[in-house]
Amino acid sequence: MPFDVDLFVIGGGSGGVRAARIAAGEHGARVALAEEYRLGGTCVIRGCVPKKLMVFASGFPAAFEDARAYGWQVAAGRFDWGAFRARLDAELDRLEAAYRGGLVAAGVTVYPERAVLEDAHTVRLAGGGRVRARHILVATGGRPFVPEFPGAGHVLTSNDLFRLEALPETVLIVGGGFIACEFACILNGLGVKVTQYYRGAQVLRGFDDEARGHVAELMREGGVEIHVGCDVARIDRDGAGFRVTATDGSARIFSAVVYATGRVPNTASLGLEAAGVRLGRRGEVVVDGWSQSSVPSVYAVGDVTDRVNLTPVAIREGHAFADTVFGATPRQADHDLVAAAVFTQPCELGAVGLTEEAAREVGPIEVYASSFKPMRQGFAGRGWRVLMKLIVCAQTRRVLGCHIVAPEAGEMIQLAAVAIRMGATKEDFDRTCAVHPTMAEELVTLRKPVRAG
């Protein structure tokens, strides 16, 4: 039986769209793509982009305070959530249209409906149609995970926060990852009284211990009430709010409860297992370095594979897949030394490479670190400090990791990642002349290690 298309992509997020556009537009493949919700996926529609715009919005109260310290006569006034949300919706509509336009220009056929696998080469559409494809790419991303417990039906997830009709007066955020911490800071900056429960010993597990401890301290100083070693036992409706009983026996009432306890691969009811595609313990599509699944004609990229769950990684995986299968240029996406940023406030966390804890497991290291008041906020009378940290291999002198806790740390870590990926040594950093006065100059003026081992 002949194939209708060379490639059928299930999922219109960043990874799937990139793969479809490159396969069709650059390599001449016949490509179709199905997306049941909105083009753009988690990042554009309900993740990175709207979240970062909310970060910007929530930072203005502190900026107004700083402005007064610098002599400006300004008043914050009242935040208009409705006006902001209208602008946000318009921006997301613009971005979705850009994604759609890029696909159409590349010659991709777009189906605005759900698609599932019927077999290794057949995709069944929700509207009843069937498409035969030589290759199928699963790029359905992930979805928020909420554990089962009494009252779980009362909670919101990060997806819901972009669609709130009004901001709550008080909110409990459950979780300690980057999504939980970012939204705790966002809502706190927008005037919501925020409490955060996390069952672990410290938020931002997986990041450098010193850096994540620094972030948690700054969050507390900024007004977020963080409780570690604490989880929710049950939630009951109480008038207009919700009574939350914690595992320590305490009970408090909140206007809303948001669960940010991680995400899981979005593979449910896609027909994958019936088609022979092997799934992992968390429901992820198990793939090799070429993004190929256990079924040769089925590939997967992005969060649905649960490798490195970041948008730029999904884009690179999608591009590498298209080049390999349709462009006669075999290559794999590189998952090493991927930089990351957590957009907390008043300081972001930027990280690339090994944490101090992981580096100590590899061999002897030297740790260079400095904590200081940044000029701009220090002048305004703020007492908090930033952190700059380099992890160095004591034998090769290569910089193994960089961790920054500071305003705009995400911007700084991008450039540090270039140097570290190129194999820069500590002496390379030392030979680089400082740009003064900046926070980032500290990275090239750290002369003596604070500890080694």
Side-chain angles (χ1 to χ4, degrees):
M1 183 180 297
F3 297 112
D4 302 309
V5 296
D6 300 309
L7 172 65
F8 196 103
V9 180
I10 304 177
S14 298
V17 167
R18 173 61 66 91
R21 190 166 56 80
I22 297 302
E26 293 193 8
H27 302 316
R30 298 172 300 158
V31 181
L33 179 148
E35 170 56 55
E36 64 178 309
Y37 181 51
R38 298 181 67 181
L39 290 173
T42 297
C43 180
V44 173
I45 303 301
R46 48 186 177 268
C48 317
V49 172
K51 174 201 68 183
K52 191 67 180 289
L53 292 172
M54 291 178 73
V55 169
F56 292 148
S58 64
F60 281 104
F64 292 144
E65 289 183 17
D66 289 350
R68 287 192 288 271
Y70 275 86
W72 289 93
Q73 296 182 11
V74 296
R78 183 181 65 85
F79 176 66
D80 189 337
W81 168 255
F84 170 78
R85 196 188 133 176
R87 289 291 298 271
L88 179 64
D89 290 344
E91 176 64 6
L92 300 188
D93 288 343
R94 183 189 71 80
L95 291 172
E96 184 181 15
Y99 266 60
R100 187 179 303 279
L103 288 170
V104 172
V108 178
T109 300
V110 178
Y111 294 95
E113 55 189 305
R114 182 174 177 81
V116 300
L117 266 70
E118 195 164 82
D119 59 41
H121 290 283
T122 307
V123 172
R124 185 177 72 254
L125 299 169
R130 283 175 172 78
V131 180
R132 290 273 297 168
R134 186 180 303 275
H135 302 283
I136 297 171
L137 179 68
V138 180
T140 49
R143 56 182 173 80
F145 169 74
V146 178
E148 294 184 5
F149 64 92
H154 296 308
V155 309
L156 304 174
T157 70
S158 58
N159 288 354
D160 302 309
L161 292 178
F162 305 114
R163 302 193 297 265
L164 291 174
E165 293 299 323
L167 292 177
E169 291 185 9
T170 61
V171 66
L172 171 65
I173 295 184
V174 183
F178 71 92
I179 296 175
C181 292
E182 287 174 342
F183 276 112
C185 292
I186 288 170
L187 293 174
N188 178 62
L190 295 179
V192 179
K193 178 61 178 173
V194 179
T195 302
Q196 185 174 353
Y197 286 178
Y198 177 53
R199 64 182 182 181
Q202 182 59 280
V203 297
L204 296 175
R205 181 173 62 87
F207 288 90
D208 183 86
D209 282 355
E210 183 178 16
R212 65 190 183 125
H214 198 92
V215 171
E217 181 181 344
L218 293 176
M219 289 176 62
R220 287 190 174 101
E221 291 178 4
V224 177
E225 185 182 334
I226 301 177
H227 297 266
V228 294
C230 183
D231 205 352
V232 172
R234 65 175 300 117
I235 300 176
D236 299 284
R237 180 170 287 281
D238 191 307
F242 302 93
R243 177 180 295 275
V244 178
T245 303
T247 50
D248 62 6
S250 64
R252 298 175 60 178
I253 296 177
F254 299 94
S255 303
V257 180
V258 177
Y259 258 69
T261 48
R263 296 173 66 84
V264 294
N266 195 19
T267 54
S269 304
L270 284 179
L272 294 172
E273 289 179 292
V277 176
R278 186 162 70 90
L279 302 182
R281 183 177 57 85
R282 301 184 70 246
E284 74 276 15
V285 179
V286 178
V287 295
D288 61 13
W290 304 101
S291 296
Q292 190 173 36
S293 77
S294 56
V295 176
S297 59
V298 179
Y299 293 74
V301 298
D303 291 5
V304 76
T305 67
D306 203 27
R307 289 179 283 183
V308 179
N309 297 337
L310 295 170
T311 296
V313 174
I315 291 173
R316 288 190 167 228
E317 290 172 354
H319 201 137
F321 156 78
D323 285 346
T324 299
V325 176
F326 299 103
T329 310
R331 65 185 183 90
Q332 298 184 4
D334 191 343
H335 297 99
D336 292 332
L337 289 174
V338 176
V342 183
F343 298 104
T344 44
Q345 297 177 49
C347 290
E348 299 171 359
L349 169 57
V352 64
L354 297 179
T355 65
E356 179 179 346
E357 296 72 40
R360 289 187 183 279
E361 297 294 323
V362 177
I365 61 169
E366 292 179 349
V367 178
Y368 296 80
S370 177
S371 180
F372 56 93
K373 290 183 182 179
M375 176 187 290
R376 177 175 175 174
Q377 287 77 16
F379 182 85
R382 298 193 183 278
W384 49 262
R385 306 171 74 85
V386 303
L387 172 69
M388 302 283 174
K389 182 174 182 178
L390 295 177
I391 314 298
V392 178
C393 175
Q395 297 169 329
T396 66
R397 307 299 299 156
R398 286 186 62 171
V399 178
L400 302 177
C402 179
H403 308 276
I404 302 173
V405 180
E408 305 295 338
E411 304 291 343
M412 286 186 267
I413 203 65
Q414 179 69 83
L415 297 181
V418 175
I420 292 173
R421 185 166 186 84
M422 293 177 68
T425 65
K426 178 63 171 63
E427 286 66 35
D428 289 326
F429 274 68
D430 294 342
R431 283 191 292 268
T432 303
C433 191
V435 178
H436 182 76
T438 65
M439 289 180 291
E441 70 178 299
E442 200 75 12
L443 293 174
V444 299
T445 59
L446 295 167
R447 289 293 179 257
K448 294 182 179 181
V450 296
R451 53 189 172 270

